[in-house]
Amino acid sequence: MPREPGLSFKTLLVILLVTTIAQTPSALMLVSMSKMFDAITRAKVEILATQEASEAEVSFVNRVKNDLELNKRVLILIGPYKRLYGEDFSYQLRKHLVFVEQSQTTEELFLILFDKTFHDRLNQESVNGILAHEMWHIFTMASGKVRPGQREEIDADDFAVRYVAPDVLIALYRTYEGDNSMREAKISNLLRQRQTAYDADGPSTLLRTGS
Protein backbone atom coordinates (compact mmCIF):
# COMPACT_ATOMS: atom_id res chain seq x y z
CA MET A 1 0.00 0.00 0.00
CA PRO A 2 1.26 3.57 -0.53
CA ARG A 3 3.10 5.03 2.42
CA GLU A 4 1.14 7.69 4.26
CA PRO A 5 2.87 10.96 5.17
CA GLY A 6 4.43 10.89 8.63
CA LEU A 7 7.41 11.85 10.71
CA SER A 8 10.89 11.17 9.31
CA PHE A 9 12.79 8.06 10.37
CA LYS A 10 15.40 10.13 12.24
CA THR A 11 12.73 12.10 14.09
CA LEU A 12 10.97 8.92 15.17
CA LEU A 13 14.26 7.45 16.34
CA VAL A 14 14.98 10.49 18.50
CA ILE A 15 11.47 10.42 20.00
CA LEU A 16 11.76 6.72 20.70
CA LEU A 17 15.16 6.96 22.36
CA VAL A 18 14.25 9.98 24.49
CA THR A 19 11.01 8.35 25.66
CA THR A 20 12.71 5.07 26.49
CA ILE A 21 15.60 6.70 28.35
CA ALA A 22 13.18 8.84 30.34
CA GLN A 23 11.24 5.78 31.39
CA THR A 24 14.19 3.49 32.07
CA PRO A 25 17.47 5.46 32.48
CA SER A 26 19.89 2.55 32.53
CA ALA A 27 23.00 1.61 30.59
CA LEU A 28 21.58 -1.89 30.14
CA MET A 29 18.55 -0.50 28.33
CA LEU A 30 20.78 1.58 26.04
CA VAL A 31 22.84 -1.47 25.14
CA SER A 32 19.69 -3.46 24.44
CA MET A 33 18.28 -0.65 22.31
CA SER A 34 21.53 -0.42 20.37
CA LYS A 35 21.52 -4.15 19.60
CA MET A 36 17.87 -4.04 18.59
CA PHE A 37 18.43 -1.02 16.36
CA ASP A 38 21.32 -2.77 14.61
CA ALA A 39 19.23 -5.90 14.03
CA ILE A 40 16.24 -3.98 12.70
CA THR A 41 18.46 -1.84 10.47
CA ARG A 42 20.03 -4.95 8.97
CA ALA A 43 16.54 -6.29 8.31
CA LYS A 44 15.72 -3.04 6.47
CA VAL A 45 12.68 -2.33 8.63
CA GLU A 46 11.66 1.28 8.99
CA ILE A 47 9.81 0.84 12.30
CA LEU A 48 11.67 0.56 15.60
CA ALA A 49 10.84 -1.63 18.58
CA THR A 50 11.51 -1.10 22.29
CA GLN A 51 11.09 -4.71 23.34
CA GLU A 52 12.30 -7.94 21.80
CA ALA A 53 9.93 -10.80 21.13
CA SER A 54 10.53 -13.69 23.51
CA GLU A 55 12.12 -16.94 22.39
CA ALA A 56 8.76 -18.63 22.96
CA GLU A 57 7.03 -16.17 20.62
CA VAL A 58 9.65 -16.53 17.90
CA SER A 59 9.58 -20.32 18.22
CA PHE A 60 5.79 -20.37 18.01
CA VAL A 61 5.75 -18.21 14.86
CA ASN A 62 8.34 -20.48 13.24
CA ARG A 63 6.20 -23.49 14.11
CA VAL A 64 3.15 -21.91 12.47
CA LYS A 65 5.24 -20.90 9.44
CA ASN A 66 6.27 -24.52 9.00
CA ASP A 67 2.67 -25.70 9.33
CA LEU A 68 1.61 -23.20 6.65
CA GLU A 69 4.67 -23.97 4.51
CA LEU A 70 5.18 -20.22 4.40
CA ASN A 71 8.49 -19.20 2.86
CA LYS A 72 8.54 -15.63 4.17
CA ARG A 73 10.36 -13.87 6.98
CA VAL A 74 8.19 -12.75 9.88
CA LEU A 75 9.41 -10.20 12.43
CA ILE A 76 7.55 -9.47 15.66
CA LEU A 77 7.96 -5.84 16.75
CA ILE A 78 6.80 -4.59 20.15
CA GLY A 79 6.72 -0.89 20.95
CA PRO A 80 4.66 2.04 22.28
CA TYR A 81 3.28 2.63 18.81
CA LYS A 82 -0.12 4.10 19.61
CA ARG A 83 1.31 6.49 22.22
CA LEU A 84 4.35 7.59 20.20
CA TYR A 85 3.05 7.77 16.67
CA GLY A 86 -0.66 8.43 16.96
CA GLU A 87 -2.12 9.73 13.72
CA ASP A 88 1.35 9.99 12.16
CA PHE A 89 2.00 6.26 12.40
CA SER A 90 1.98 5.08 8.80
CA TYR A 91 1.30 1.40 9.40
CA GLN A 92 -2.34 1.84 10.54
CA LEU A 93 -1.65 0.64 14.09
CA ARG A 94 -3.45 3.78 15.24
CA LYS A 95 -6.64 1.74 14.77
CA HIS A 96 -5.36 -1.53 16.20
CA LEU A 97 -3.54 -2.99 19.18
CA VAL A 98 -1.84 -5.51 16.92
CA PHE A 99 -1.44 -5.27 13.18
CA VAL A 100 0.15 -7.18 10.30
CA GLU A 101 1.80 -5.41 7.42
CA GLN A 102 4.13 -6.32 4.61
CA SER A 103 7.39 -4.40 4.89
CA GLN A 104 7.58 -1.40 2.61
CA THR A 105 11.23 -2.18 1.84
CA THR A 106 11.02 -5.86 0.86
CA GLU A 107 8.22 -8.20 -0.19
CA GLU A 108 9.92 -11.10 1.60
CA LEU A 109 9.39 -9.64 5.09
CA PHE A 110 6.15 -9.36 7.06
CA LEU A 111 5.76 -7.49 10.34
CA ILE A 112 3.56 -8.32 13.31
CA LEU A 113 3.32 -5.05 15.25
CA PHE A 114 2.24 -5.28 18.88
CA ASP A 115 1.45 -2.21 20.93
CA LYS A 116 3.64 -2.74 24.02
CA THR A 117 1.00 -1.89 26.63
CA PHE A 118 -1.40 -4.39 25.07
CA HIS A 119 1.27 -7.07 24.63
CA ASP A 120 2.44 -6.83 28.24
CA ARG A 121 -1.09 -7.47 29.55
CA LEU A 122 -1.32 -10.86 27.86
CA ASN A 123 -0.32 -14.32 29.01
CA GLN A 124 1.55 -16.61 26.64
CA GLU A 125 -1.53 -18.49 25.48
CA SER A 126 -3.28 -15.25 24.52
CA VAL A 127 -0.18 -14.10 22.64
CA ASN A 128 -0.08 -17.43 20.81
CA GLY A 129 -3.73 -17.09 19.84
CA ILE A 130 -3.10 -13.64 18.42
CA LEU A 131 0.08 -14.73 16.64
CA ALA A 132 -1.70 -17.70 15.04
CA HIS A 133 -4.55 -15.42 13.92
CA GLU A 134 -2.12 -12.89 12.44
CA MET A 135 -0.05 -15.60 10.77
CA TRP A 136 -3.15 -16.59 8.82
CA HIS A 137 -3.41 -13.01 7.57
CA ILE A 138 0.25 -13.14 6.52
CA PHE A 139 -0.38 -16.41 4.69
CA THR A 140 -3.32 -14.99 2.72
CA MET A 141 -1.46 -11.76 1.98
CA ALA A 142 1.59 -13.66 0.74
CA SER A 143 -0.52 -15.98 -1.42
CA GLY A 144 -2.80 -13.24 -2.74
CA LYS A 145 -5.87 -14.93 -1.25
CA VAL A 146 -7.06 -12.27 1.18
CA ARG A 147 -10.82 -12.21 1.68
CA PRO A 148 -11.39 -8.69 3.09
CA GLY A 149 -13.74 -8.08 5.96
CA GLN A 150 -15.53 -10.45 8.27
CA ARG A 151 -14.84 -13.61 6.25
CA GLU A 152 -11.07 -13.11 6.51
CA GLU A 153 -11.31 -12.61 10.27
CA ILE A 154 -13.43 -15.74 10.70
CA ASP A 155 -10.97 -17.76 8.61
CA ALA A 156 -8.09 -16.48 10.76
CA ASP A 157 -9.92 -17.54 13.93
CA ASP A 158 -10.70 -20.96 12.44
CA PHE A 159 -6.97 -21.38 11.87
CA ALA A 160 -5.95 -20.02 15.28
CA VAL A 161 -8.07 -22.55 17.19
CA ARG A 162 -5.73 -25.26 15.91
CA TYR A 163 -3.26 -23.87 18.45
CA VAL A 164 -5.35 -22.44 21.30
CA ALA A 165 -8.76 -23.15 22.77
CA PRO A 166 -11.66 -21.06 21.40
CA ASP A 167 -12.16 -19.57 24.88
CA VAL A 168 -8.77 -17.85 24.64
CA LEU A 169 -9.87 -15.84 21.60
CA ILE A 170 -13.37 -15.30 22.97
CA ALA A 171 -11.92 -13.66 26.09
CA LEU A 172 -9.69 -11.41 23.98
CA TYR A 173 -12.54 -10.27 21.75
CA ARG A 174 -14.86 -9.59 24.66
CA THR A 175 -12.22 -7.31 26.16
CA TYR A 176 -10.52 -5.68 23.18
CA GLU A 177 -12.62 -5.90 19.99
CA GLY A 178 -14.10 -2.43 19.48
CA ASP A 179 -16.33 -3.19 16.49
CA ASN A 180 -19.60 -4.52 17.92
CA SER A 181 -20.76 -6.38 14.81
CA MET A 182 -17.32 -7.89 14.27
CA ARG A 183 -17.09 -8.92 17.92
CA GLU A 184 -20.48 -10.64 17.77
CA ALA A 185 -19.59 -12.47 14.55
CA LYS A 186 -16.22 -13.63 15.87
CA ILE A 187 -17.56 -14.82 19.21
CA SER A 188 -20.55 -16.59 17.61
CA ASN A 189 -18.18 -18.46 15.30
CA LEU A 190 -15.86 -19.39 18.16
CA LEU A 191 -18.75 -20.62 20.29
CA ARG A 192 -19.74 -22.90 17.39
CA GLN A 193 -16.13 -24.06 17.17
CA ARG A 194 -16.12 -24.80 20.89
CA GLN A 195 -19.37 -26.77 20.71
CA THR A 196 -18.17 -28.72 17.66
CA ALA A 197 -14.94 -29.63 19.42
CA TYR A 198 -16.82 -30.66 22.54
CA ASP A 199 -19.23 -32.82 20.57
CA ALA A 200 -16.37 -34.51 18.71
CA ASP A 201 -13.81 -35.07 21.45
CA GLY A 202 -15.36 -34.18 24.79
CA PRO A 203 -14.23 -31.60 27.36
CA SER A 204 -10.51 -32.40 26.97
CA THR A 205 -10.49 -30.54 23.63
CA LEU A 206 -11.32 -27.31 25.42
CA LEU A 207 -8.02 -27.52 27.27
CA ARG A 208 -5.95 -27.21 24.08
CA THR A 209 -2.83 -25.03 24.46
CA GLY A 210 -0.17 -23.70 22.13
CA SER A 211 2.51 -26.00 23.59
Side-chain angles (χ1 to χ4, degrees):
M1 66 176 64
R3 188 177 180 84
E4 302 172 12
L7 300 178
S8 70
F9 178 82
K10 290 183 179 179
T11 301
L12 293 176
L13 174 59
V14 171
I15 294 173
L16 186 59
L17 287 174
V18 169
T19 302
T20 302
I21 292 170
Q23 291 180 340
T24 313
S26 69
L28 182 61
M29 173 60 78
L30 291 177
V31 170
S32 177
M33 284 291 295
S34 177
K35 290 180 179 178
M36 214 177 307
F37 175 70
D38 289 343
I40 293 172
T41 300
R42 286 196 300 273
K44 297 182 179 180
V45 179
E46 53 275 57
I47 301 300
L48 295 177
T50 59
Q51 180 176 323
E52 295 181 88
S54 69
E55 291 184 8
E57 290 163 355
V58 173
S59 176
F60 180 79
V61 163
N62 287 335
R63 171 188 165 193
V64 178
K65 275 178 57 178
N66 289 335
D67 291 346
L68 288 168
E69 298 182 348
L70 180 64
N71 188 27
K72 299 290 184 181
R73 295 175 59 214
V74 178
L75 186 63
I76 305 168
L77 299 183
I78 304 165
Y81 300 126
K82 290 179 73 68
R83 181 166 54 83
L84 274 181
Y85 297 97
E87 291 301 314
D88 290 319
F89 189 49
S90 57
Y91 273 87
Q92 300 185 35
L93 194 69
R94 61 181 178 269
K95 297 179 182 178
H96 301 270
L97 294 170
V98 61
F99 192 79
V100 160
E101 184 62 275
Q102 190 168 19
S103 171
Q104 295 170 351
T105 58
T106 171
E107 294 182 356
E108 298 304 309
L109 175 64
F110 286 83
L111 310 174
I112 298 177
L113 303 173
F114 261 106
D115 183 71
K116 184 179 185 302
T117 301
F118 173 56
H119 176 274
D120 291 350
R121 292 174 180 168
L122 305 175
N123 60 29
Q124 189 59 57
E125 194 172 18
S126 295
V127 170
N128 286 353
I130 292 170
L131 289 174
H133 177 104
E134 300 303 333
M135 286 296 293
W136 179 261
H137 290 318
I138 290 175
F139 173 74
T140 59
M141 290 168 66
S143 59
K145 298 179 180 178
V146 176
R147 302 167 70 180
Q150 197 173 96
R151 184 65 257 174
E152 174 76 8
E153 292 300 310
I154 296 298
D155 288 346
D157 285 343
D158 288 347
F159 177 73
V161 296
R162 300 181 187 182
Y163 300 92
V164 300
D167 283 346
V168 173
L169 298 178
I170 289 171
L172 285 167
Y173 295 144
R174 282 177 172 162
T175 304
Y176 296 108
E177 176 58 69
D179 184 316
N180 290 336
S181 62
M182 183 68 78
R183 180 174 61 248
E184 291 176 7
K186 287 180 174 182
I187 291 177
S188 294
N189 174 64
L190 289 165
L191 289 172
R192 286 193 298 271
Q193 290 270 13
R194 184 175 69 178
Q195 187 61 48
T196 299
Y198 185 91
D199 292 342
D201 300 317
S204 61
T205 303
L206 303 183
L207 302 178
R208 183 188 299 116
T209 68
S211 60

